[in-house]
Amino acid sequence: MSAPPRQRLSAELLTLAQGRRDQYLTDLRELVSIDSGSYSPDGVNKVADWVQERLLRLGFDVERVRFPVDHRYRAGDAIVGRRRGRLDPAGNGRRILLAAHMDTVFDDGTATARPFHLNGSIAHGPGVSDDKGGLLAGLTALEVLQDASVQDFGELVFLATPDEEIGSQVSRPLIEQTARGMHYGLGLECARENGDLVVARKGVADFRLTVTGRAAHAGIEPERGANAALAAAHLTVELQGLNGHWDDVTLNVGVVRAGTRPNIVCPEAELHIEVRAATAADMRRATRAIHRAAAHPAVPGTAITVEQIDLCPPMEDTPASRRMFDAARKAASDYGVRLGAAATGGVGDANLIAGTGVPTLDGLGPVGGADHTPGEWLDTSSVPHRVAMLACLIASLGAAGND
């Protein structure tokens, strides 16, 4: 008796992925040899050239997005590739977004000082795991699908961004615009060190609290002052005490600034606060608690204003994302790979995709670890199975009947 269609496709995709392993290593060496730090737009654009050429070869319509220079930084370009399948996206065809980033955390010169190399099956080099290994795995999965003539989807969209490592401040509007209308989002960050996929990422909110007091001579008439530093100290203790009030919520007063001279009652202080929460509801609860604390300063004569500087929404663990994970687990089981589901406090572009309401799964690259360090590594033996699993997942999500 012949194998069921899904198992036959799984076997074909793995054979195709195994056949591309040597080319994957050649391409990975080339990509890792390009310095593409977030603040190195020329290097990022060399990676963008490479991604653009690969997508064009795959028959994608490619848009290259150049960002205006602003006061924050000059970013490299972004790449948006689109390819229609044989199914109608307005009917039973599904639109699937694959997202990766081209930037690393490393300065120019790192690729020369610490070049790509293999130690057995373990690859090392700047960005080998985060995220050049995942970026390349996504492109390779698209090639495998093309080789297998898989077209049962509405549209595949490949998004490569230039500034994920510094919060995607410039590319965020493009990410959110591209995500809207998608049925699924697939993040190409590499898998956890134990092979788990990521089903949830905490959101992050940054706040600046300004405490206004009243200056006075500290020796002659201190009673005429209102000490903003003292109010800031009480506020710091109160805010840090919020930790443990809600599951999966952390609050950190990371910066406190106050005063100019020891003989002046401090007239102004500033606190910078980071909140991380697993759900939007918990983020709102923590935000309300900060405002309540600010409304009642401990020192008479002081006042506190709260300004939210930034908000990166959580990638929540939802029933829809769990169904995506189940599809990935089923695909992996065909190759004898057992997948776990991980939640992490770290953020990425998958947060922004999920924030638009799109069910999102992350960690779909090969197995890697020690990101952002000289010891960063990628297990190249995991590449064929992870590429085949990603290709199989895309195929399984492509049609409405597979939801």
Side-chain angles (χ1 to χ4, degrees), residues 2 19 33-34 38 61 86 111 113 117 122 129 177 184 195 203 267 298 338 346:
S2 62
S33 298
I34 301 171
S38 309
D61 296 323
R86 70 175 189 86
H117 66 280
I122 305 300
S129 168
Q177 174 188 345
Y184 301 106
R338 298 185 64 180

Side-chain angles (χ1 to χ4, degrees), residues 55 101 122 154 179 251 297 379 400:
L55 288 171
H101 63 91
I122 305 300
L251 188 150
D379 183 356

Side-chain angles (χ1 to χ4, degrees), residues 27 58 107 124 152 163 193 262 270 294 328 356-357 403:
D27 293 339
L58 282 165
D107 295 332
H124 296 276
D152 288 346
D163 60 345
E193 293 189 9
E270 186 175 272
T356 67
D403 289 352

Side-chain angles (χ1 to χ4, degrees), residues 75-229:
D77 300 342
I79 299 294
V80 184
R82 300 178 182 273
R83 183 180 176 189
R84 291 291 297 270
R86 70 175 189 86
L87 304 179
D88 184 356
N92 63 340
R94 291 295 180 249
R95 304 179 72 214
I96 302 171
L97 172 63
L98 291 82
H101 63 91
M102 301 177 287
D103 62 319
T104 74
V105 300
F106 301 105
D107 295 332
D108 286 349
T110 307
T112 299
R114 191 160 47 80
F116 176 91
H117 66 280
L118 282 169
N119 183 7
S121 64
I122 305 300
H124 296 276
V128 69
S129 168
D130 188 15
D131 182 30
K132 290 178 178 178
L135 171 80
L136 183 56
L139 292 169
T140 306
L142 295 178
E143 292 171 339
V144 165
L145 288 169
Q146 183 182 62
D147 291 345
S149 301
V150 174
Q151 299 185 55
D152 288 346
F153 53 83
E155 183 182 34
L156 298 181
V157 179
F158 193 94
L159 173 64
T161 56
D163 60 345
E164 188 270 351
E165 296 291 8
I166 50 176
S168 303
Q169 297 177 57
V170 169
S171 64
R172 177 171 180 167
L174 174 67
I175 296 168
E176 293 173 337
Q177 174 188 345
T178 305
R180 292 187 181 99
M182 294 290 155
H183 294 96
Y184 301 106
L186 303 178
L188 299 176
E189 297 281 1
C190 281
R192 305 294 90 179
E193 293 189 9
N194 63 357
D196 287 354
L197 302 188
V198 177
V199 296
R201 290 182 177 273
K202 284 187 176 181
V204 179
D206 294 323
F207 296 87
R208 179 169 56 221
L209 277 61
T210 302
V211 185
T212 304
R214 187 168 57 250
H217 193 295
I220 298 174
E221 47 187 11
E223 71 280 358
R224 292 192 175 187
N227 196 317

Side-chain angles (χ1 to χ4, degrees), residues 21 73 97 99 121 133 267 306 311 319 330 363 385:
R21 182 178 182 275
Y73 55 92
L97 172 63
S121 64
V306 180
L311 173 64
K330 184 181 295 184
H385 290 90

Side-chain angles (χ1 to χ4, degrees), residues 157-394:
V157 179
F158 193 94
L159 173 64
T161 56
D163 60 345
E164 188 270 351
E165 296 291 8
I166 50 176
S168 303
Q169 297 177 57
V170 169
S171 64
R172 177 171 180 167
L174 174 67
I175 296 168
E176 293 173 337
Q177 174 188 345
T178 305
R180 292 187 181 99
M182 294 290 155
H183 294 96
Y184 301 106
L186 303 178
L188 299 176
E189 297 281 1
C190 281
R192 305 294 90 179
E193 293 189 9
N194 63 357
D196 287 354
L197 302 188
V198 177
V199 296
R201 290 182 177 273
K202 284 187 176 181
V204 179
D206 294 323
F207 296 87
R208 179 169 56 221
L209 277 61
T210 302
V211 185
T212 304
R214 187 168 57 250
H217 193 295
I220 298 174
E221 47 187 11
E223 71 280 358
R224 292 192 175 187
N227 196 317
L230 180 58
H234 281 285
L235 184 61
T236 297
V237 172
E238 183 175 358
L239 292 176
Q240 288 291 151
L242 293 173
N243 285 293
H245 279 222
W246 309 280
D247 291 339
D248 295 324
V249 177
T250 58
L251 188 150
N252 182 56
V253 181
V255 177
V256 180
R257 299 190 182 99
T260 57
R261 291 174 179 270
N263 61 349
I264 300 175
V265 174
C266 177
E268 187 171 275
E270 186 175 272
L271 290 74
H272 289 218
I273 301 169
E274 180 193 82
V275 177
R276 294 192 181 231
T279 67
D282 278 342
M283 185 68 78
R284 290 191 293 270
R285 292 186 184 98
T287 300
R288 288 194 296 268
I290 291 171
H291 281 274
R292 283 196 300 271
H296 302 285
V299 177
T302 61
I304 303 168
T305 60
V306 180
E307 181 183 4
Q308 184 169 307
I309 304 300
D310 194 19
L311 173 64
C312 179
M315 172 185 152
E316 298 194 31
D317 186 346
T318 66
S321 63
R322 281 287 171 167
R323 287 193 292 272
M324 295 173 68
F325 172 74
D326 288 342
R329 184 166 54 183
K330 184 181 295 184
S333 69
D334 289 342
Y335 308 129
V337 175
R338 298 185 64 180
L339 289 182
T344 177
V347 302
D349 286 344
N351 290 69
L352 303 178
I353 296 168
T356 67
V358 177
T360 305
L361 186 64
D362 202 1
L364 287 159
V367 177
D371 297 353
H372 300 188
T373 76
E376 184 176 2
W377 58 272
L378 186 81
D379 183 356
T380 65
S381 69
S382 72
V383 168
H385 290 90
R386 295 285 163 159
V387 167
M389 181 191 73
L390 176 57
C392 196
L393 176 61
I394 294 168

